[in-house]
Amino acid sequence: VLKALKVYSAEIEQSFKPVFFEKGSEVRLISNLLELTLPSTSKPMVQVVCDQMKGNDLILMTLGPQEISLVTEKKHYALIENLLKDHAVIPLARTDGLAAVTLTLTHNAYDLLGLFYLISRALNWAAIPIVEIFSTYTELTFVIYEKDSLAAMKVMKDLVNAS
């Protein structure tokens, strides 16, 4: 096995081009988050939640065909709980003790092959479970457990600083 790895190592290395983060990439950490999983029939209630959030408040959402995943700051739970009651929505699941590590990227970062893989692999090697992944044009956010947040922050900063 070792001989085969040595023979193919040069070929394997050439197939993976390194990812370099440009100057301007930064890493941010937001803690004290929770995730609610709601039935997809609750889309109107989720719109009301979004309308009542302030401009700087964190709300991450995935609208799937069967369910909605909503990650936000714990300070908003009382508001959301009241809206759930008003709209007769019963959450499918609730996960507390979460944090979000966000990598701010430059505009051409999505041309980089393997960007999601590189980061998720690094978190995996550090034994950090990923709860959710959200992305926008210039941000890539990994929702993780709060207990792993400092380790995740270090992993992400090391990736950015290594390039």
Side-chain angles (χ1 to χ4, degrees), residues 27 84 98 108 120 132 159:
V27 181
L84 289 172
L98 299 176
N108 60 351
S120 60
E132 294 273 3
L159 282 173

Side-chain angles (χ1 to χ4, degrees), residues 56-141:
N56 291 334
D57 292 337
L58 177 74
I59 184 165
L60 302 169
M61 189 176 356
T62 301
L63 300 172
Q66 300 296 318
E67 55 193 31
I68 298 169
S69 176
L70 180 70
V71 176
T72 190
E73 299 164 79
K74 268 189 173 178
K75 68 182 181 181
H76 299 301
Y77 185 68
L79 165 73
I80 294 170
E81 188 176 42
N82 289 334
L83 290 170
L84 289 172
K85 286 177 187 171
D86 291 347
H87 289 81
V89 174
I90 299 171
L92 303 173
R94 175 181 166 169
T95 307
D96 288 293
L98 299 176
V101 180
T102 300
L103 178 60
T104 303
L105 304 165
T106 56
H107 290 284
N108 60 351
Y110 284 98
D111 292 334
L112 300 172
L113 294 176
L115 180 64
F116 283 53
Y117 167 74
L118 173 77
I119 299 167
S120 60
R121 180 189 68 184
L123 292 171
N124 186 40
W125 282 356
I128 300 168
I130 300 168
V131 177
E132 294 273 3
I133 301 174
F134 294 91
S135 67
T136 64
Y137 184 59
T138 59
E139 292 182 335
L140 183 55
T141 300

